[in-house]
Amino acid sequence: MSAKTDTPRVERFNAGGFRIYRLRLQAFPDFYAHAHLVLGADTPTLIDVGSGWADSNDDLLAGFAELQAGHGEKVSLADVGRIIITHGHLDHFGGLAFVREHTRAPIGVHALDRRVLTNFEERVVLAAKSLRTFLIHAGLDEKRLGEMMQMYTFAKGLYHSVPVDFTLREDETVAEGFRFIHVPGHCPGQVCVQLADVLFTADHVLSRITPHQSPESITRNVGLGHYFDSLRKVRDLPGVNLCLGGHQLPIRNLAKRVDEIRRSHERRLSKVLQLCAEPTTVKDVSRSLFGAVNGYNVLLALQETGAHIEYLYQRGELAVANLEEVENAQQPAVLYHRV
Ligand SMILES: [Zn+2]
Ligand SMILES: [Zn+2]
């Protein structure tokens, strides 16, 4: 689930008549994300802005400095005239408050992630309630539950809401040729952005890892079922020769990578079914799938497992083994077994 650096600080790609600069940012300690600057359109357009952490903001400024020094591009952050946010995760939009100190460029995001940017505090409070219910059902004890909730709500202090100026719609292109493809799954408002023969895949398709999944019981329009539909939606997009993700390396063969990701989830689904031969909780399945992980990775592992169990449960392949307890207990752990 990490995305360590193996990419240069600034990398240039060409798409039709557009110049694309990929800026590598340290979004969180040892976790790298990309912002992409598109030049050659009506106005310099920035796709994602990093996390807003000190290193991420510094890297963004250093990336622009290198554009001028190393690539002869006379463009600064103040010249950016449009900002596109690919989805409502902090490593992609958290830098908006910082970027707005330099430019008042209009900000666009898909409607389903709009409120995350404009009403972040509200979003964290409500999502935390759903997460708490999920973790109780997953089988966490009080102590573990407290730790996880503290970790999750810590994010509340990392961002201050900003206004959004336009929404990214599938049936409308923006300026010359930015086309948006809505691909819910990893995030409700996840979009891929197509520009000439380049597809910015954001966190929908990544080169090395399967993008993180979380159950729909926590947030509507995420979940593995939506994700599979969205993989199908982009797999055979015509005219795509290069994919640039929000993390990791460029992808040249989209269909091949989509198939690998799909197979990886199918293997994991089979393993979950095996693990549920005896009644078991999300917590215990997660431990078997991911071993002993630490810190925030515990939460990520539980969500990933929850997404797989939910997918199987929704399709009638798993059933609840302790229904009476779930009905009567205040805070029941749910035991799942294979049907
Ligand atoms: Zn993401
Ligand atoms: Zn990301």
Side-chain angles (χ1 to χ4, degrees):
M1 291 168 203
S2 74
K4 290 202 168 179
T5 176
D6 40 20
T7 53
R9 179 192 285 282
V10 174
E11 200 171 355
R12 177 179 164 157
F13 302 90
N14 296 317
F18 305 100
R19 282 125 46 223
I20 298 167
Y21 289 95
R22 157 176 273 196
L23 312 179
R24 190 196 72 211
L25 317 172
Q26 187 165 187
F28 297 112
D30 284 326
F31 184 85
Y32 291 84
H34 302 131
H36 291 98
L37 179 72
V38 177
L39 299 178
D42 57 334
T43 187
T45 300
L46 191 58
I47 301 178
D48 288 340
V49 296
S51 67
W53 271 46
D55 284 337
S56 182
N57 294 337
D58 291 349
D59 285 351
L60 189 61
L61 292 179
F64 272 90
E66 197 172 318
L67 283 182
Q68 300 192 12
H71 296 270
E73 299 283 6
K74 291 185 178 50
V75 61
S76 71
L77 191 50
D79 298 318
V80 168
R82 179 185 299 113
I83 297 167
I84 291 168
I85 299 296
T86 60
H87 66 295
H89 285 166
L90 267 177
D91 51 326
H92 299 259
F93 75 85
L96 279 175
F98 171 76
V99 168
R100 275 170 61 83
E101 291 170 16
H102 297 264
T103 171
R104 284 293 155 124
I107 298 166
V109 69
H110 189 274
L112 289 182
D113 280 352
R114 182 183 185 125
R115 292 182 67 79
V116 180
L117 274 57
T118 60
N119 296 60
F120 186 68
E121 300 76 7
E122 174 186 307
R123 156 80 194 150
V124 172
V125 170
L126 292 190
K129 295 266 177 207
S130 310
L131 178 68
R132 190 183 162 81
T133 304
F134 163 73
L135 292 174
I136 290 167
H137 289 171
L140 265 66
D141 60 32
E142 273 300 327
K143 182 170 164 285
R144 268 319 229 178
L145 182 63
E147 288 167 10
M148 291 297 120
M149 293 312 297
Q150 209 175 357
M151 232 181 299
Y152 184 76
T153 49
F154 171 71
K156 200 158 64 166
L158 296 182
Y159 177 75
H160 297 287
S161 293
V162 299
V164 161
D165 304 287
F166 62 103
T167 49
L168 310 181
R169 298 164 55 106
E170 278 207 350
D171 50 358
E172 283 176 14
T173 52
V174 163
E176 306 156 50
F178 290 94
R179 189 185 153 220
F180 307 106
I181 299 131
H182 183 216
V183 283
H186 170 76
C187 196
Q190 175 78 71
V191 294
C192 292
V193 184
Q194 190 169 5
L195 182 72
D197 66 343
V198 169
L199 188 70
F200 297 93
T201 55
D203 284 4
H204 181 47
V205 182
L206 295 172
S207 70
R208 292 231 168 108
I209 61 160
T210 59
H212 177 60
Q213 304 298 317
S214 174
E216 199 170 10
S217 68
I218 302 175
T219 307
R220 302 276 177 272
N221 296 299
V222 303
L224 209 49
H226 293 290
Y227 183 63
F228 284 155
D229 289 344
S230 294
L231 283 179
R232 258 192 298 278
K233 192 168 175 180
V234 298
R235 185 188 182 280
D236 301 308
L237 270 183
V240 174
N241 291 318
L242 173 68
C243 297
L244 299 174
H247 311 271
Q248 304 170 357
L249 301 173
I251 299 164
R252 300 279 171 187
N253 189 334
L254 178 59
K256 178 167 168 267
R257 185 60 194 141
V258 163
D259 292 345
E260 286 167 2
I261 290 172
R262 168 102 205 180
R263 276 198 299 274
S264 161
H265 282 299
E266 279 163 359
R267 281 195 298 274
R268 189 167 283 164
L269 287 167
S270 312
K271 187 139 189 229
V272 169
L273 274 179
Q274 281 169 26
L275 290 166
C276 292
E278 298 295 323
T280 183
T281 59
V282 168
K283 182 188 79 173
D284 289 340
V285 172
S286 181
R287 179 105 189 166
S288 301
L289 288 176
F290 298 103
V293 288
N294 293 310
Y296 204 76
N297 285 330
V298 178
L299 190 54
L300 294 177
L302 285 165
Q303 290 175 335
E304 185 78 30
T305 305
H308 285 76
I309 287 188
E310 179 185 79
Y311 179 86
L312 293 166
Y313 180 74
Q314 284 170 334
R315 283 154 186 80
E317 296 196 47
L318 293 175
V320 174
N322 59 335
L323 196 56
E324 203 178 317
E325 189 188 357
V326 171
E327 187 176 13
N328 297 313
Q330 280 287 337
Q331 299 200 329
V334 180
L335 294 169
Y336 292 94
H337 72 113
R338 191 175 182 162
V339 173

